[in-house]
Amino acid sequence: PDNILIQRYVNITSEDRSSEFIIAYAEDLASTGRTETDLEEGGPWNHLIPELETSLRERALASFTVHAEPDSPAIDIPEEPGVLSAR
């Protein structure tokens, strides 16, 4: 695709911050019926960006499940975009 929407989740999995777990979810922007120019600042659909971000986050979170191994720390996937945290 020429333009994509990306939702990224990151979890630092070690106390020394040397390991991380990343999930990336991507969609073709064309699937929204909008173009990059439509969404640019001053573009006719720029005001829709918060709505697009919310719906992208909902689809991203619905597209995967994370299961920890029995002796691993649990992973929380919060509603906030872009962040995973370990318990």
Side-chain angles (χ1 to χ4, degrees), residues 2-3 29 34-40:
D2 291 331
N3 296 286
L29 177 61
R34 308 289 178 240
T35 66
E36 182 179 16
T37 303
D38 290 339
L39 300 174
E40 289 176 349

Side-chain angles (χ1 to χ4, degrees), residues 19-70:
S19 298
E20 60 187 12
F21 175 73
I22 300 172
I23 297 173
Y25 174 86
E27 290 182 356
D28 187 347
L29 177 61
S31 70
T32 68
R34 308 289 178 240
T35 66
E36 182 179 16
T37 303
D38 290 339
L39 300 174
E40 289 176 349
E41 190 170 333
W45 298 102
N46 178 263
H47 66 282
L48 290 179
I49 289 176
E51 181 182 317
L52 288 172
E53 290 172 340
T54 298
S55 62
L56 178 67
R57 182 171 48 254
E58 290 169 355
R59 289 188 303 279
L61 290 172
S63 73
F64 65 87
T65 304
V66 176
H67 298 278
E69 292 296 319

Side-chain angles (χ1 to χ4, degrees), residues 7-18:
Q7 184 69 49
R8 182 174 167 258
Y9 299 91
V10 178
N11 183 32
I12 306 300
T13 59
S14 61
E15 289 192 24
D16 66 359
R17 304 182 66 78
S18 63

